[in-house]
Amino acid sequence: MQDKSIFIAGPCVIESQELLDTVAEKLVKINKDLGVEIIFKASFDKANRTSISSFRGPGLERGLQMLSKVKEKFGLKLLTDIHESHQAQAVGEVVDVLQIPAFLCRQTDLLIAAAKTGKTVNIKKAQFLSGQDMRYPVEKAKEAGAKEVWLTERGNAFGYNNLVVDFRNIPDMREIVDTVIMDCTHSVQRPGGSNGKTGGDRKFVPSMALAAKAFGASGYFFEVHPTPDLGLSDAANMLQLDNLEPLIAELIK
């Protein structure tokens, strides 16, 4: 019997078609081995990097072409994030889930544009909001016509260069929407805490996932990479690709 949990995984940013194919091939294998469905995630533009010199990705047009190749070759559903409302229509023609970044979750025009695509909208909870506060972004998306809205927990700012997760946000947000995802990799970040880059510690990723399960999460978001320390974005936080399957197996037991 297929597990009903939602799994989202992929590299933080599109670095190359080869990387996308390597990760997608692994996700297809996990889907077959464990009877789950993993939605493939990668960003075409990381518009919120700490430094102006940080790698951002291939951009909208080239990035969507590369994601389309993943869907055509591997048959995976796709998720990617948008940062500006004018991106929504083009992205909605390619992906299955449009993601609203945490820092932008109150941007009305962005939420409306995403909703109007008719695709699922995944809104990440801002680092400065409570779970209960997320009813207002959801209302904006639904009033603009969104048929399905998800919420994602990713921690709250705690002092400088650190995040803390209040897992009570998960049941609080499940009172607002049916689907609440735990972002298990971004929640272990230390924002801006690594000399002009975001640091973090991936060893806590499995614990974040298991704790979220105990609090009733509907699904789990993992950024993964075959060689995460060489990744061009979120290197400290991405899960090693080969460690994804045993973790998902643990979560669906």
Side-chain angles (χ1 to χ4, degrees):
M1 185 175 71
Q2 188 176 50
D3 187 87
K4 294 183 179 179
S5 297
I6 294 168
F7 293 96
I8 302 164
C12 181
V13 67
I14 298 173
E15 299 177 17
S16 67
Q17 192 70 53
E18 180 183 12
L19 172 64
L20 299 188
D21 289 355
T22 297
V23 174
E25 185 175 16
K26 182 69 170 181
L27 300 189
V28 170
K29 179 182 182 298
I30 296 172
N31 286 343
K32 182 178 179 181
D33 289 348
L34 299 181
V36 297
E37 181 180 36
I38 305 174
I39 300 170
F40 183 93
K41 181 270 171 186
S43 297
F44 58 82
D45 180 18
K46 300 300 293 185
N48 54 357
R49 297 299 305 274
T50 302
S51 170
I52 195 169
S53 62
S54 297
F55 179 76
R56 288 181 53 167
L60 177 66
E61 184 175 353
R62 178 63 180 142
L64 290 179
Q65 291 172 354
M66 297 168 81
L67 289 172
S68 294
K69 289 181 179 178
V70 170
K71 177 174 276 192
E72 292 166 7
K73 185 173 181 179
F74 298 98
L76 294 166
K77 290 183 179 179
L78 302 176
L79 176 150
T80 197
D81 38 4
I82 59 173
H83 291 83
E84 299 183 67
S85 55
H86 71 80
Q87 297 172 336
Q89 183 176 353
V91 173
E93 292 173 359
V94 174
V95 310
D96 303 277
V97 183
L98 276 76
Q99 183 166 276
I100 306 299
F103 284 128
L104 301 178
C105 74
R106 291 174 53 157
Q107 295 295 102
T108 302
D109 290 345
L110 189 64
L111 291 163
I112 290 172
K116 287 183 175 179
T117 66
K119 298 300 178 75
T120 298
V121 180
N122 181 35
I123 309 173
K124 300 185 77 172
K125 181 184 71 62
Q127 299 90 328
F128 48 84
L129 295 178
S130 72
Q132 294 172 339
D133 292 330
M134 293 306 292
R135 71 176 60 254
Y136 304 108
V138 170
E139 285 175 359
K140 291 178 182 180
K142 287 188 172 180
E143 289 187 17
K147 296 179 178 63
E148 185 169 10
V149 180
W150 301 349
L151 290 174
T152 293
E153 167 62 33
R154 53 98 69 243
N156 282 78
F158 186 73
Y160 298 103
N161 306 126
N162 205 357
L163 297 172
V164 67
V165 176
D166 181 348
F167 287 96
R168 294 174 297 181
N169 284 325
I170 294 173
D172 282 349
M173 291 193 292
R174 289 207 68 170
E175 294 182 2
I176 303 168
V177 296
D178 292 332
T179 302
V180 175
I181 308 295
M182 180 66 202
D183 185 339
C184 304
T185 42
H186 285 101
S187 58
V188 303
Q189 286 180 333
R190 293 186 182 272
S194 185
N195 193 27
K197 296 185 290 186
T198 288
D201 194 339
R202 72 176 65 91
K203 73 181 180 185
F204 295 112
V205 169
S207 298
M208 289 290 183
L210 292 167
K213 179 180 179 180
F215 277 85
S218 313
Y220 311 89
F221 180 112
F222 302 101
E223 289 192 324
V224 296
H225 197 288
T227 53
D229 286 334
L230 301 179
L232 300 181
S233 178
D234 255 354
N237 308 296
M238 285 191 287
L239 191 67
Q240 215 286 331
L241 182 60
D242 287 340
N243 293 335
L244 180 62
E245 184 165 358
L247 179 51
I248 290 179
E250 177 75 11
L251 288 167
I252 65 175
K253 278 199 304 190

